[in-house]
Amino acid sequence: MIRRIIEINQEKCNGCGLCANACHEGAIGMIEGKATLLRDDYCDGLGDCLPVCPTGAITFVEREAEAYDEAAVQARMQEKKQPMATCPGSRSRLLEQPVQEVAAPKAEQPSCLRQWPVQIKLAPVKAPYFDGAKLLIAADCTAYAYGSFHSDFMRGKVTLIGCPKLDQVDYSEKLTEIIRQNDIRSVTVVRMEVPCCGGIQAAVERALQKSGKFLPWQVVTISIDGRILED
């Protein structure tokens, strides 16, 4: 039969696994680091996976496909209990950092945080501290990976953090309104090198486009071992 079904562009897919987690039917799996439609009859054609894809790799097509089989989906879900898709960025590893000798207690470093809350999901759309602000939008892992995060990135900025994989939400709508309704002067995005972190960068790019404002912005990528990666 001819029906609507998803299609995944393997070249655009960054392997974040968000679509596999969003698919309630388990139609999408991660194969060799890429999202793949496992079986046509698992896909109901409703597209819960589309809005979570940070790269726009998933689209609808009309083609010959087996009919959606709800019984087969329920049987598979019962068997596998809908496991979380594995993102390449969540692979366990030990980081060999040099051991630094501490001769004497160091003075406590002051925090550069200028406002609360910091989570994108909890932040208000409009607040006095946004007016005239340089906005820092960071993946929450970056502050742990990069030792001088406060002094090098947060100083003099309003900070918002989030994790697109764990929150499973599209930040772009809220970020659009924050940029649109406030006098934001610039935007800095700090993300990790892992593929799923592309979601936060993509959300900022969409927000800047939708806001209708032309602001200076930059993206800084942090490696898992705490280095700033050059483009």
Side-chain angles (χ1 to χ4, degrees), residues 151-217:
S151 59
D152 289 3
F153 293 114
M154 289 176 59
R155 188 184 301 278
K157 296 183 178 68
V158 169
T159 302
L160 296 177
I161 67 170
C163 176
K165 183 172 180 63
L166 297 183
D167 288 345
Q168 295 190 16
V169 65
D170 183 1
Y171 299 129
S172 63
E173 292 186 9
K174 173 171 271 191
L175 293 176
T176 297
E177 293 308 310
I178 289 175
I179 295 171
R180 179 180 290 154
Q181 297 188 34
N182 299 279
D183 180 24
I184 303 297
R185 300 298 177 85
S186 66
V187 178
T188 299
V189 180
V190 182
R191 54 162 293 183
M192 296 297 296
E193 64 175 321
V194 296
C196 55
C197 225
I200 202 163
Q201 178 178 342
V204 172
E205 291 176 355
R206 289 195 294 271
L208 287 167
Q209 292 172 354
K210 292 179 181 178
S211 72
K213 294 185 177 181
F214 297 93
L215 302 178
W217 71 292

Side-chain angles (χ1 to χ4, degrees), residues 54-69:
T55 64
I58 306 175
T59 55
F60 279 128
V61 294
E62 296 276 346
R63 66 169 174 82
E64 183 72 31
E66 294 183 42
Y68 172 63
D69 189 338

Side-chain angles (χ1 to χ4, degrees), residues 84 87 192:
M84 286 282 288
C87 169
M192 296 297 296

